[in-house]
Amino acid sequence: MKITLELPDYDGRATDVIWEEDASVRLDAGHGEVVLSANRAGLTALAKQMLYLADESVPAGCHVHYDDAFLDADAGVELIVEKRGDGPRRR
């Protein structure tokens, strides 16, 4: 599989939120686990967002909040995707 895509450049001010028009993402939290389920457009949007954050021009600490505006149902929590530094993993 080969995928070609264009992502916005990080402008140094705000983290872009990348979203697909038909995206559907659901987050369910409980019983010691979190389940993230999505349709094709939702998975594509999340993948693009991860690649955007992974770009070397985006500094550690940049993050995106996915709340009820993006998620299909109120899970009582929001999903925050944040870039961390490349140092050792925190435990």
Side-chain angles (χ1 to χ4, degrees):
M1 173 185 338
K2 180 177 181 177
I3 298 173
T4 303
L5 53 92
E6 290 188 32
L7 299 173
D9 292 323
Y10 177 67
D11 67 7
R13 293 188 312 242
T15 304
D16 288 302
V17 177
I18 300 167
W19 201 246
E20 300 288 318
E21 184 176 330
D22 297 328
S24 174
V25 177
R26 182 179 179 92
L27 183 65
D28 294 300
H31 307 291
E33 62 186 18
V34 175
V35 177
L36 186 148
S37 57
N39 65 0
R40 183 177 191 277
L43 291 171
T44 300
L46 292 170
K48 287 179 179 180
Q49 189 71 61
M50 302 288 182
L51 288 170
Y52 172 82
L53 287 171
D55 189 82
E56 60 189 29
S57 69
V58 178
C62 284
H63 61 278
V64 175
H65 291 252
Y66 292 100
D67 55 20
D68 292 345
F70 296 99
L71 302 176
D72 286 347
D74 181 14
V77 296
E78 66 181 271
L79 174 65
I80 302 171
V81 179
E82 180 179 81
K83 182 175 185 177
R84 70 173 192 206
D86 289 332
R89 183 176 160 202
R90 289 184 280 177
R91 295 182 191 253

XYZ file of all heavy atoms in Angstrom:
697
model
N 0.844 -1.171 0.000
C 0.000 0.000 0.000
C 0.888 1.233 0.000
O 1.850 1.318 0.749
C -0.889 0.002 1.250
C -1.673 1.242 1.405
S -2.675 1.468 2.922
C -2.959 -0.127 3.552
N 0.569 2.161 -0.873
C 1.276 3.431 -0.902
C 0.234 4.536 -0.813
O -0.742 4.540 -1.561
C 2.076 3.575 -2.187
C 2.832 4.878 -2.263
C 3.665 4.970 -3.517
C 4.403 6.288 -3.519
N 5.278 6.411 -4.679
N 0.452 5.446 0.124
C -0.475 6.554 0.336
C 0.305 7.856 0.210
O 1.363 8.013 0.823
C -1.142 6.464 1.722
C -1.954 5.179 1.831
C -2.002 7.680 1.987
C -2.521 4.917 3.194
N -0.224 8.770 -0.564
C 0.369 10.086 -0.701
C -0.624 11.096 -0.135
O -1.810 11.044 -0.450
C 0.645 10.407 -2.189
O 1.489 9.391 -2.720
C 1.310 11.753 -2.330
N -0.132 11.990 0.712
C -1.021 12.986 1.299
C -0.277 14.277 1.545
O 0.945 14.298 1.589
C -1.667 12.468 2.579
C -0.746 11.924 3.674
C -0.374 13.010 4.652
C -1.455 10.798 4.383
N -1.034 15.324 1.693
C -0.472 16.628 2.029
C -1.004 17.046 3.388
O -2.194 16.927 3.654
C -0.856 17.664 0.981
C -0.161 17.450 -0.340
C -0.394 18.593 -1.301
O -0.530 19.751 -0.840
O -0.432 18.316 -2.503
N -0.094 17.514 4.233
C -0.455 17.988 5.566
C -0.055 19.452 5.680
O 0.903 19.882 5.037
C 0.261 17.162 6.631
C -0.055 15.669 6.647
C 0.853 14.953 7.637
C -1.500 15.432 6.995
N -0.751 20.222 6.508
C -0.362 21.627 6.673
C 1.000 21.744 7.356
O 1.419 20.856 8.096
C -1.471 22.197 7.557
C -2.073 21.027 8.247
C -1.889 19.852 7.337
N 1.686 22.844 7.077
C 2.942 23.128 7.760
C 2.628 23.712 9.128
O 1.684 24.486 9.286
C 3.779 24.137 6.962
C 4.295 23.553 5.656
O 4.645 22.360 5.643
O 4.345 24.293 4.656
N 3.423 23.345 10.117
C 3.275 23.930 11.452
C 3.739 25.379 11.385
O 4.847 25.664 10.942
C 4.095 23.125 12.464
C 4.054 23.691 13.860
C 2.867 23.680 14.592
C 5.175 24.228 14.449
C 2.812 24.200 15.874
C 5.139 24.741 15.740
C 3.953 24.721 16.439
O 3.903 25.235 17.702
N 2.895 26.308 11.816
C 3.215 27.733 11.698
C 3.896 28.312 12.936
O 4.160 29.505 12.996
C 1.966 28.545 11.356
C 0.929 28.556 12.475
O 1.206 28.051 13.579
O -0.176 29.080 12.235
N 4.155 27.478 13.939
C 4.835 27.955 15.137
C 3.918 28.565 16.170
O 4.353 28.969 17.239
N 2.615 28.649 15.859
C 1.686 29.280 16.803
C 0.689 28.280 17.371
O 0.548 28.146 18.565
C 0.941 30.418 16.113
C 1.814 31.578 15.734
C 0.966 32.726 15.247
N -0.002 32.279 14.272
C -0.067 32.669 13.022
N 0.807 33.515 12.571
N -1.008 32.228 12.211
N -0.031 27.619 16.513
C -1.105 26.736 16.975
C -1.019 25.398 16.257
O -0.579 25.327 15.115
C -2.463 27.378 16.714
N -1.451 24.369 16.932
C -1.490 23.046 16.337
C -2.745 22.927 15.489
O -3.848 23.185 15.955
C -1.516 21.962 17.442
O -0.386 22.160 18.296
C -1.461 20.579 16.853
N -2.575 22.564 14.227
C -3.728 22.356 13.347
C -4.463 21.088 13.743
O -3.845 20.085 14.085
C -3.283 22.220 11.887
C -2.813 23.540 11.312
O -3.611 24.484 11.313
O -1.655 23.610 10.872
N -5.777 21.143 13.697
C -6.599 19.953 13.883
C -6.969 19.462 12.495
O -7.547 20.199 11.697
C -7.875 20.235 14.701
C -8.735 18.984 14.805
C -7.509 20.745 16.084
N -6.619 18.235 12.200
C -6.875 17.657 10.886
C -8.071 16.730 11.014
O -8.070 15.815 11.838
C -5.629 16.903 10.386
C -4.469 17.895 10.284
C -5.905 16.221 9.071
C -3.125 17.264 10.111
N -9.085 16.989 10.210
C -10.321 16.222 10.336
C -10.906 15.979 8.958
O -10.791 16.808 8.062
C -11.311 16.973 11.220
C -12.359 16.094 11.807
C -13.699 16.120 11.555
C -12.170 15.029 12.744
N -14.347 15.150 12.265
C -13.423 14.462 13.003
C -11.049 14.493 13.367
C -13.602 13.383 13.874
C -11.221 13.437 14.226
C -12.478 12.892 14.484
N -11.534 14.840 8.790
C -12.193 14.479 7.537
C -13.689 14.736 7.685
O -14.274 14.504 8.753
C -11.953 13.000 7.222
C -10.494 12.616 7.074
C -9.884 13.138 5.804
O -10.533 13.078 4.739
O -8.741 13.633 5.867
N -14.326 15.184 6.625
C -15.732 15.566 6.669
C -16.641 14.451 7.174
O -17.542 14.687 7.960
C -16.184 16.000 5.279
C -17.606 16.504 5.236
C -17.993 17.011 3.868
O -17.117 17.499 3.140
O -19.192 16.919 3.540
N -16.430 13.236 6.741
C -17.296 12.115 7.114
C -16.745 11.294 8.282
O -17.185 10.170 8.507
C -17.521 11.197 5.912
C -18.247 11.908 4.781
O -19.074 12.793 5.084
O -17.982 11.596 3.616
N -15.789 11.859 9.007
C -15.152 11.115 10.095
C -16.137 10.808 11.213
O -16.950 11.640 11.600
C -13.969 11.892 10.647
N -16.037 9.597 11.714
C -16.830 9.161 12.855
C -15.895 8.415 13.794
O -15.320 7.392 13.427
C -17.964 8.241 12.379
O -18.646 7.696 13.482
N -15.713 8.972 14.980
C -14.806 8.379 15.975
C -15.559 8.259 17.286
O -16.252 9.188 17.705
C -13.539 9.255 16.170
C -12.648 8.671 17.258
C -12.778 9.377 14.858
N -15.406 7.148 17.915
C -16.054 6.905 19.213
C -14.979 6.484 20.218
O -14.101 5.690 19.905
C -17.110 5.814 19.078
C -17.842 5.540 20.368
C -18.910 4.455 20.177
N -19.567 4.213 21.423
C -20.664 4.826 21.829
N -21.236 5.715 21.064
N -21.198 4.544 23.004
N -15.088 7.014 21.411
C -14.174 6.686 22.507
C -15.004 6.182 23.661
O -15.904 6.878 24.138
C -13.391 7.947 22.911
C -12.337 7.793 23.984
C -11.202 6.894 23.502
C -11.799 9.150 24.389
N -14.740 4.958 24.091
C -15.421 4.375 25.245
C -14.378 4.037 26.299
O -13.401 3.348 26.009
C -16.175 3.101 24.833
C -17.313 3.399 23.879
O -18.215 4.160 24.275
O -17.287 2.886 22.745
N -14.592 4.525 27.505
C -13.658 4.280 28.596
C -14.394 3.616 29.744
O -15.494 4.039 30.110
C -13.031 5.591 29.061
N -13.806 2.579 30.269
C -14.391 1.902 31.412
C -13.828 0.507 31.565
O -13.220 -0.033 30.641
N -14.019 -0.068 32.720
C -13.555 -1.426 33.007
C -12.048 -1.571 32.767
O -11.587 -2.601 32.282
C -14.328 -2.457 32.186
C -15.821 -2.332 32.327
N -16.472 -2.648 33.502
C -16.766 -1.899 31.470
C -17.768 -2.422 33.347
N -17.967 -1.967 32.133
N -11.301 -0.505 33.058
C -9.847 -0.575 32.953
C -9.306 -0.534 31.541
O -8.145 -0.871 31.307
N -10.136 -0.120 30.568
C -9.647 -0.050 29.196
C -10.294 1.121 28.460
O -11.324 1.646 28.873
C -9.934 -1.346 28.437
C -11.412 -1.662 28.290
C -11.661 -3.021 27.660
O -10.758 -3.862 27.639
O -12.776 -3.225 27.172
N -9.655 1.512 27.384
C -10.183 2.547 26.506
C -10.283 1.944 25.110
O -9.328 1.364 24.614
C -9.259 3.786 26.473
C -9.755 4.812 25.476
C -9.133 4.397 27.857
N -11.458 2.061 24.509
C -11.661 1.556 23.155
C -11.918 2.745 22.242
O -12.833 3.527 22.469
C -12.853 0.573 23.085
C -13.092 0.124 21.648
C -12.613 -0.620 23.995
N -11.079 2.883 21.234
C -11.244 3.904 20.223
C -11.667 3.184 18.953
O -10.937 2.336 18.449
C -9.926 4.647 20.004
C -9.987 5.852 19.078
C -8.974 6.883 19.531
C -9.776 5.488 17.645
N -12.854 3.483 18.454
C -13.328 2.870 17.223
C -13.691 3.976 16.249
O -14.148 5.047 16.656
C -14.527 1.950 17.488
O -15.565 2.657 18.120
N -13.477 3.717 14.972
C -13.710 4.759 13.974
C -13.994 4.135 12.615
O -13.571 3.014 12.334
C -12.485 5.660 13.882
N -14.684 4.917 11.777
C -14.859 4.497 10.400
C -13.577 4.838 9.627
O -12.612 5.367 10.194
C -16.109 5.127 9.779
C -16.031 6.640 9.644
O -15.047 7.267 10.008
N -17.083 7.235 9.134
N -13.581 4.549 8.335
C -12.386 4.768 7.523
C -11.946 6.232 7.564
O -10.759 6.535 7.746
C -12.653 4.342 6.078
C -11.456 4.453 5.172
C -11.791 3.932 3.759
N -10.610 3.799 2.952
C -10.044 4.798 2.288
N -10.554 6.015 2.349
N -8.966 4.588 1.564
N -12.888 7.162 7.410
C -12.550 8.587 7.426
C -12.004 9.001 8.793
O -11.081 9.812 8.882
C -13.767 9.422 7.059
N -12.552 8.446 9.861
C -12.069 8.758 11.207
C -10.664 8.244 11.439
O -9.818 8.951 11.996
N -10.399 7.013 11.010
C -9.046 6.461 11.148
C -8.047 7.251 10.310
O -6.922 7.513 10.746
C -9.033 4.988 10.750
C -9.762 4.041 11.696
C -9.858 2.650 11.073
C -9.079 3.978 13.051
N -8.472 7.661 9.119
C -7.608 8.463 8.253
C -7.299 9.803 8.906
O -6.142 10.255 8.914
C -8.268 8.674 6.876
O -8.479 7.394 6.267
C -7.407 9.525 5.968
N -8.308 10.452 9.481
C -8.097 11.737 10.148
C -7.128 11.599 11.321
O -6.217 12.415 11.475
C -9.430 12.308 10.628
N -7.299 10.563 12.119
C -6.401 10.349 13.260
C -4.983 10.048 12.794
O -4.008 10.542 13.375
C -6.933 9.224 14.149
C -8.236 9.535 14.899
C -8.780 8.268 15.551
C -8.028 10.630 15.928
N -4.848 9.254 11.731
C -3.522 8.930 11.198
C -2.823 10.194 10.686
O -1.636 10.413 10.947
C -3.639 7.889 10.090
N -3.565 11.036 9.966
C -2.991 12.292 9.479
C -2.567 13.187 10.646
O -1.518 13.831 10.601
C -3.996 13.033 8.601
C -4.194 12.420 7.239
C -5.224 13.219 6.459
C -5.456 12.674 5.071
N -6.466 13.480 4.347
N -3.384 13.220 11.697
C -3.045 14.044 12.857
C -1.766 13.543 13.513
O -0.908 14.335 13.899
C -4.187 14.037 13.872
C -4.011 15.039 14.988
C -4.191 16.466 14.492
O -5.240 16.820 14.009
N -3.165 17.283 14.625
N -1.619 12.237 13.624
C -0.403 11.663 14.219
C 0.827 11.996 13.381
O 1.877 12.355 13.912
C -0.531 10.144 14.341
C -1.687 9.657 15.141
S -1.487 9.949 16.894
C -2.979 9.206 17.486
N 0.699 11.887 12.047
C 1.828 12.218 11.172
C 2.174 13.703 11.260
O 3.346 14.079 11.246
C 1.507 11.828 9.728
C 1.494 10.323 9.460
C 0.921 10.039 8.080
C 2.897 9.741 9.595
N 1.158 14.547 11.346
C 1.382 15.985 11.508
C 2.177 16.246 12.793
O 3.181 16.969 12.781
C 0.041 16.715 11.533
C 0.128 18.169 11.893
C 0.468 19.124 10.947
C -0.151 18.600 13.188
C 0.540 20.468 11.279
C -0.084 19.938 13.523
C 0.266 20.871 12.569
O 0.331 22.196 12.913
N 1.745 15.659 13.893
C 2.443 15.869 15.168
C 3.848 15.289 15.148
O 4.752 15.796 15.816
C 1.641 15.256 16.317
C 0.372 16.005 16.721
C -0.438 15.176 17.717
C 0.693 17.370 17.301
N 4.060 14.220 14.385
C 5.369 13.569 14.323
C 6.398 14.383 13.548
O 7.602 14.139 13.680
C 5.225 12.184 13.693
N 5.959 15.357 12.747
C 6.892 16.150 11.950
C 7.900 16.835 12.859
O 7.548 17.323 13.940
C 6.128 17.183 11.117
C 7.042 17.867 10.125
O 7.284 17.273 9.058
O 7.539 18.976 10.433
N 9.143 16.883 12.398
C 10.203 17.457 13.244
C 10.028 18.948 13.498
O 10.605 19.483 14.451
C 11.577 17.172 12.650
C 11.795 17.727 11.272
C 13.089 17.237 10.642
O 13.547 16.130 10.949
O 13.632 17.984 9.823
N 9.223 19.651 12.710
C 9.000 21.076 12.950
C 8.033 21.330 14.103
O 7.966 22.438 14.639
C 8.466 21.759 11.678
O 7.153 21.321 11.382
N 7.279 20.306 14.499
C 6.311 20.443 15.585
C 7.013 20.110 16.900
O 7.524 18.995 17.070
C 5.089 19.509 15.368
C 4.114 19.620 16.523
C 4.404 19.827 14.041
N 7.078 21.059 17.836
C 7.809 20.812 19.086
C 7.051 19.905 20.061
O 5.827 19.789 20.004
C 7.981 22.213 19.673
C 6.856 23.006 19.116
C 6.553 22.433 17.763
N 7.808 19.288 20.941
C 7.219 18.488 22.012
C 6.269 19.370 22.812
O 6.500 20.564 22.978
C 8.311 17.921 22.912
N 5.187 18.780 23.271
C 4.193 19.506 24.047
C 2.994 19.946 23.220
O 1.937 20.235 23.776
N 3.147 20.007 21.899
C 1.993 20.340 21.056
C 0.979 19.212 21.168
O 1.346 18.037 21.240
C 2.416 20.535 19.608
S 3.229 22.112 19.323
N -0.279 19.580 21.186
C -1.307 18.567 21.400
C -2.631 18.982 20.775
O -2.819 20.144 20.413
C -1.496 18.304 22.895
C -1.926 19.517 23.650
N -1.045 20.480 24.072
C -3.150 19.932 24.038
C -1.705 21.440 24.701
N -2.993 21.135 24.690
N -3.517 18.008 20.654
C -4.855 18.225 20.121
C -5.845 17.584 21.074
O -5.623 16.468 21.557
C -5.003 17.584 18.723
C -6.420 17.707 18.219
C -4.037 18.212 17.745
N -6.926 18.292 21.363
C -8.004 17.766 22.197
C -9.135 17.287 21.301
O -9.640 18.056 20.487
C -8.563 18.852 23.130
C -7.619 19.271 24.197
N -7.803 18.933 25.513
C -6.477 20.000 24.154
C -6.821 19.442 26.234
N -6.007 20.093 25.426
N -9.520 16.044 21.463
C -10.713 15.529 20.792
C -11.788 15.396 21.864
O -11.681 14.582 22.770
C -10.443 14.166 20.147
C -9.490 14.242 18.992
C -8.157 13.897 19.143
C -9.921 14.667 17.744
C -7.277 13.965 18.073
C -9.052 14.741 16.673
C -7.728 14.387 16.846
O -6.865 14.461 15.792
N -12.809 16.230 21.754
C -13.897 16.221 22.728
C -15.204 15.912 22.008
O -15.202 15.377 20.903
C -13.950 17.546 23.486
C -14.056 18.739 22.552
O -14.456 18.566 21.379
O -13.752 19.864 22.985
N -16.316 16.275 22.620
C -17.625 15.976 22.032
C -17.822 16.587 20.646
O -18.672 16.138 19.885
C -18.746 16.453 22.954
C -18.815 15.639 24.234
O -18.204 14.559 24.283
O -19.480 16.089 25.185
N -17.058 17.620 20.318
C -17.172 18.215 18.990
C -16.661 17.257 17.910
O -17.057 17.355 16.754
C -16.398 19.522 18.934
N -15.794 16.337 18.286
C -15.214 15.391 17.334
C -15.694 13.965 17.566
O -15.831 13.186 16.625
C -13.684 15.415 17.403
C -13.096 16.730 17.001
C -12.709 17.653 17.960
C -12.946 17.061 15.671
C -12.169 18.875 17.592
C -12.410 18.277 15.288
C -12.029 19.187 16.258
N -15.903 13.600 18.812
C -16.264 12.219 19.144
C -17.766 12.019 19.025
O -18.554 12.925 19.271
C -15.795 11.884 20.559
C -14.289 12.052 20.809
C -13.974 11.779 22.267
C -13.473 11.150 19.907
N -18.169 10.809 18.652
C -19.582 10.503 18.422
C -20.427 10.531 19.689
O -21.585 10.868 19.648
C -19.734 9.119 17.777
C -19.336 9.137 16.316
O -19.177 10.235 15.748
O -19.177 8.058 15.750
N -19.878 10.114 20.794
C -20.674 10.017 22.021
C -19.869 10.546 23.198
O -18.643 10.549 23.177
C -21.079 8.571 22.274
N -20.579 10.973 24.200
C -19.929 11.469 25.409
C -19.430 10.295 26.230
O -20.214 9.573 26.832
C -20.909 12.311 26.224
C -20.276 12.873 27.485
O -19.031 12.838 27.600
O -21.024 13.338 28.344
N -18.121 10.094 26.215
C -17.532 9.002 26.974
C -17.179 9.442 28.394
O -16.689 8.649 29.179
C -16.273 8.490 26.265
N -17.424 10.706 28.690
C -17.071 11.218 30.010
C -15.609 11.600 30.102
O -15.158 12.066 31.136
N -14.870 11.400 29.033
C -13.464 11.792 28.947
C -13.217 12.327 27.539
O -13.998 12.094 26.636
C -12.496 10.616 29.226
C -12.637 10.109 30.636
C -12.700 9.486 28.234
N -12.134 13.060 27.392
C -11.739 13.476 26.054
C -10.401 12.834 25.719
O -9.658 12.423 26.609
C -11.677 14.995 25.924
C -10.610 15.665 26.750
C -10.657 17.182 26.572
O -9.995 17.690 25.649
O -11.333 17.831 27.361
N -10.128 12.718 24.447
C -8.876 12.152 23.971
C -7.924 13.302 23.689
O -8.264 14.226 22.953
C -9.116 11.336 22.699
C -7.879 10.785 22.001
C -7.172 9.766 22.883
C -8.271 10.172 20.661
N -6.756 13.269 24.307
C -5.727 14.268 24.055
C -4.538 13.542 23.442
O -4.018 12.587 24.024
C -5.297 14.989 25.347
C -6.503 15.665 25.994
C -4.178 15.994 25.046
C -6.228 16.213 27.380
N -4.137 13.994 22.266
C -2.974 13.428 21.584
C -1.874 14.468 21.677
O -2.038 15.596 21.203
C -3.298 13.099 20.111
C -2.071 12.527 19.420
C -4.458 12.125 20.020
N -0.756 14.110 22.312
C 0.324 15.057 22.560
C 1.651 14.500 22.083
O 1.939 13.316 22.244
C 0.405 15.361 24.056
C 1.513 16.334 24.413
C 1.552 16.643 25.886
O 2.111 15.840 26.650
O 1.000 17.687 26.272
N 2.458 15.387 21.517
C 3.813 14.988 21.128
C 4.728 15.144 22.330
O 4.727 16.181 22.994
C 4.320 15.853 19.977
C 5.708 15.443 19.519
C 6.132 16.243 18.311
C 7.462 15.757 17.784
N 7.835 16.504 16.562
N 5.484 14.130 22.608
C 6.473 14.235 23.676
C 7.860 14.191 23.053
O 8.030 13.831 21.895
C 6.305 13.139 24.723
C 6.660 11.767 24.248
C 6.622 10.798 25.410
N 7.236 9.559 24.993
C 6.983 8.402 25.503
N 6.115 8.303 26.489
N 7.597 7.331 25.076
N 8.856 14.527 23.832
C 10.231 14.519 23.349
C 10.703 13.102 23.056
O 10.059 12.120 23.435
N 11.823 12.998 22.400
C 12.342 11.677 22.031
C 13.205 11.061 23.118
O 13.879 10.064 22.883
C 13.162 11.788 20.736
C 12.280 12.046 19.525
O 11.116 11.628 19.557
O 12.759 12.665 18.559
N 13.193 11.632 24.309
C 13.993 11.098 25.406
C 13.433 9.786 25.934
O 12.516 9.201 25.354
N 13.964 9.310 27.055
C 13.484 8.041 27.640
C 12.001 8.077 27.964
O 11.449 9.121 28.289
C 14.313 7.904 28.920
C 15.431 8.879 28.807
C 14.984 9.935 27.843
N 11.396 6.936 27.906
C 9.977 6.801 28.205
C 9.735 7.008 29.688
O 10.443 6.456 30.525
C 9.528 5.400 27.787
C 8.078 5.168 27.983
C 7.712 3.803 27.465
N 6.463 3.414 28.074
C 6.051 2.183 28.182
N 6.790 1.205 27.737
N 4.921 1.903 28.739
N 8.729 7.813 29.999
C 8.341 8.027 31.398
C 7.481 6.869 31.861
O 6.661 6.364 31.124
C 7.551 9.323 31.550
C 8.385 10.545 31.368
C 7.579 11.761 31.631
N 6.785 12.018 30.429
C 5.911 12.995 30.317
N 5.678 13.776 31.323
N 5.254 13.189 29.206
N 7.632 6.489 33.099
C 6.815 5.400 33.665
C 5.967 5.921 34.769
O 6.217 6.776 35.454
C 7.701 4.274 34.162
C 8.425 3.650 33.012
C 9.279 2.480 33.515
N 10.142 2.062 32.458
C 9.991 0.953 31.779
N 9.023 0.139 32.044
N 10.824 0.624 30.835
